[in-house]
């Protein structure tokens, strides 16, 4: 098979490396890909948002399957455009991707179908938001822009001033553009967070192994929210008992709810969960693999990913057994100095071999380019260094020793990925 992967970050690199393991795959293309991906796939210079060019390229090159990985093209109808042109695609249709691209939609869905989530109200008028927040007078309060905002449209306001500043930024200054026309104001929940990605064909749902993201930029969960600075899998808070509650109260009801709304979801459905004292609740849905969750979940997948993708597209997932390794996995993201705010690009990376790899771990490239035999930084998140091992501690040791062998000016990474978990375990 010839497969085209749409996207060009660490998640896409992890998807491509997994696809490469399949004996069914003859050739992989990436649009646009990146420096590291170019060692595993042929990169084509087409934007991940360019539906017309992706369709034309797929037709001209006899592509058998397109894997649409990022949120924006899914929300914009890339899967619909490909299917209309007779090309098989993995990823939800636009009307189902709304579960991620509109928080107002997803919150209303959960309310209508009794899926546990934080209490909330939706507003389109900044004055009404503040009078609501004043009437509750309970802090912290969570304020979210409705639309996609690169994981940065969520503000946890500790007091009235912060709430007012957030409302102004989102609704009046339009920091996230039209994403901020509506806001969701939510009750603040507490408890450990768990990411569960699941394959679903709209009929049955098969959860993957669990993971834990680290969203803040700095150690001890300080600094701004980022796209994700590191992950571990499995997530120790996700016990069998919690998994069973999630299946009954969240996963299956969500698939059914989307069907009832005539928005059948086919693809990878991502549940961002918080295990609160009142049980697991949904913080957010994503319509795709997480990044860097994919970098710890996919390395543990033993079943041929192409078989799974086809079972999802053809709606026969319930007949397929999906196998996972019992090993633990860890991923440490190396980011550009300054990320998630402004940062420089084009800085030479040292410590990588000619394939962009290093000994003892797998290097997933998130934002790199390859020129004249060298790798350079080309994004906020630059590399995700992943390793698997029998225990989490060993996986972390392997990932961190590989991180220490790689460097670029201004490189920043968290030194405490998975540490809270591994310390709790040994206490
Ligand atoms: P989201 O983009 O919706 O996943 O939100 C980003 C992060 O903000 C989450 O991973 C949580 O850490 C935090 N967050 C979002 N909603 C809430 C909430 N209702 N209560 C507490 N923390 C939240
Ligand atoms: N790592 C969080 C996300 O992909 O949304």
């Amino acid at each position: 098979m010839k497969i085209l992967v749409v996207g060009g970050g660490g998640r896409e690199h992890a998807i491509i490396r997994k696809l490469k393991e399949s004996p069914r795959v003859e050739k992989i293309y990436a649009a646009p890909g990146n420096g590291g991906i170019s060692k595993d796939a042929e990169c084509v210079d087409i934007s991940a948002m360019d539906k017309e060019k992706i369709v034309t390229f797929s037709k001209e090159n006899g592509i058998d399957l397109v894997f649409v990985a990022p949120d924006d093209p899914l929300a914009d109808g890339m899967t619909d455009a490909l299917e209309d042109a007779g090309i098989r695609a993995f990823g939800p249709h636009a009307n189902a991707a709304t579960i991620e691209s509109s928080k107002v939609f997803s919150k209303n869905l959960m309310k209508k179908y009794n899926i546990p989530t934080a209490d909330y109200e939706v507003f389109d008028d900044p004055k009404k938001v503040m009078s609501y927040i004043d009437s509750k007078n309970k802090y912290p309060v969570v304020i979210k822009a409705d639309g996609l905002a690169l994981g940065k449209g969520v503000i946890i306001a500790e007091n009235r001033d912060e709430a007012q500043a957030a409302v102004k930024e989102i609704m009046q200054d339009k920091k996230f553009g039209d994403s901020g026309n509506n806001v969701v104001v939510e009750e603040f929940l507490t408890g450990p967070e768990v990411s569960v990605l699941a394959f679903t064909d709209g009929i049955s749902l098969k959860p993957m192994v669990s993971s834990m993201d680290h969203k803040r930029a700095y150690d001890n969960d300080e600094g701004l929210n980022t796209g994700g600075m590191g992950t571990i899998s499995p997530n120790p808070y996700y016990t069998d008992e919690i998994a069973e509650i999630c299946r009954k109260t969240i996963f299956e009801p969500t698939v059914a709810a989307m069907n009832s709304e005539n928005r059948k979801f086919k693809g990878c459905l991502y549940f961002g969960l918080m295990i609160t004292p009142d049980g697991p609740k949904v913080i957010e849905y994503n319509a795709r693999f997480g990044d860097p969750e994919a970098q710890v979940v996919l390395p543990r997948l033993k079943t041929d990913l192409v078989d799974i993708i086809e079972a999802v597209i053809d709606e026969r997932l319930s007949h397929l057994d999906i196998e996972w390794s019992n090993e633990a996995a860890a991923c440490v993201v190396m980011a550009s100095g300054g990320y998630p705010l402004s940062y420089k690009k084009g800085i030479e990376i040292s410590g990588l071999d000619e394939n962009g790899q290093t000994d003892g771990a797998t290097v997933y490239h998130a934002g790199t380019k390859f020129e004249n035999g060298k790798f350079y930084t080309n994004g906020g998140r630059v590399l995700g260094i992943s390793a698997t091992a029998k225990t989490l501690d060993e996986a972390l040791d392997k990932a961190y020793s590989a991180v220490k062998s790689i460097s670029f000016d201004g490189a920043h990474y968290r030194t405490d990925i998975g540490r809270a978990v591994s310390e709790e375990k040994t206490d």
Side-chain angles (χ1 to χ4, degrees), residues 24-314:
R24 302 182 57 197
V25 175
E26 177 199 326
K27 169 113 193 166
I28 307 174
Y29 297 91
N34 66 37
I37 290 176
S38 73
K39 302 297 172 183
D40 291 302
E42 185 173 328
C43 294
V44 289
D45 189 16
I46 301 176
S47 148
M49 287 300 286
D50 196 330
K51 287 185 279 203
E52 226 178 276
K53 283 197 183 149
I54 296 273
V55 167
T56 309
F57 177 87
S58 302
K59 279 189 184 159
E60 284 175 355
N61 293 277
I63 299 294
D64 300 294
L65 177 74
V66 180
F67 191 125
V68 188
D71 49 358
D72 296 323
L74 288 167
D76 191 46
M78 180 74 79
T79 298
D80 309 64
L82 286 158
E83 282 186 1
D84 287 349
I87 300 154
R88 280 159 76 76
F90 179 83
H93 294 129
N95 73 351
T98 307
I99 200 167
E100 169 170 9
S101 62
S102 169
K103 292 203 190 277
V104 173
F105 171 81
S106 67
K107 293 298 288 190
N108 290 342
L109 184 87
M110 288 186 269
K111 187 186 263 178
K112 184 169 170 188
Y113 294 93
N114 267 320
I115 297 166
T117 189
D119 283 340
Y120 72 102
E121 291 286 335
V122 177
F123 298 92
D124 60 6
D125 175 346
K127 283 198 209 90
K128 291 202 178 127
V129 188
M130 284 318 294
S131 44
Y132 172 76
I133 290 176
D134 285 340
S135 72
K136 291 255 160 182
N137 195 28
K138 195 164 170 234
Y139 295 95
V141 65
V142 184
I143 302 167
K144 301 184 173 184
D146 175 35
L148 297 175
L150 292 172
K152 295 167 199 160
V154 173
I155 290 156
I156 295 171
E158 301 288 343
N159 52 49
R160 191 177 194 283
D161 286 348
E162 284 183 21
Q164 200 157 28
V167 170
K168 181 171 178 296
E169 237 178 44
I170 298 175
M171 300 190 88
Q172 288 164 320
D173 304 346
K174 297 265 178 212
K175 187 168 172 196
F176 308 107
D178 286 345
S179 285
N181 290 349
N182 292 292
V183 295
V184 174
V185 178
E186 253 182 42
E187 129 196 59
F188 178 76
L189 300 176
T190 53
E193 287 185 58
V194 180
S195 304
V196 179
L197 323 183
F199 293 108
T200 172
D201 57 1
I203 302 162
S204 67
L205 174 137
K206 302 229 165 169
M208 303 182 210
V209 288
S210 62
S211 56
M212 176 191 281
D213 194 6
H214 296 66
K215 287 205 161 94
R216 301 294 196 98
Y218 301 113
D219 283 12
N220 306 315
D221 287 334
E222 285 171 14
L224 292 171
N225 261 328
T226 68
M229 293 297 293
T231 35
I232 57 166
S233 174
N235 185 319
Y237 296 103
Y238 192 67
T239 59
D240 289 348
E241 189 196 353
I242 298 279
E244 184 53 18
I245 298 173
C246 290
R247 186 182 66 76
K248 276 203 209 127
T249 64
I250 297 174
F251 303 161
E252 288 174 359
T254 301
V255 171
M258 291 299 277
N259 284 328
S260 301
E261 297 293 309
N262 282 319
R263 293 170 185 266
K264 182 187 268 191
F265 190 104
K266 290 169 68 170
C268 171
L269 184 53
Y270 168 134
F271 300 87
L273 307 169
M274 197 172 266
I275 314 301
T276 76
D278 300 328
K281 295 191 179 183
V282 177
I283 291 283
E284 66 161 350
Y285 292 111
N286 291 325
R288 49 166 176 90
F289 275 87
D291 186 344
E293 282 88 342
Q295 291 90 312
V296 288
V297 169
L298 286 176
R300 299 184 56 202
L301 176 62
K302 295 211 285 199
T303 305
D304 190 326
L305 180 56
V306 178
D307 290 345
I308 302 173
I309 291 171
E310 292 209 307
V312 167
I313 295 176
D314 299 331

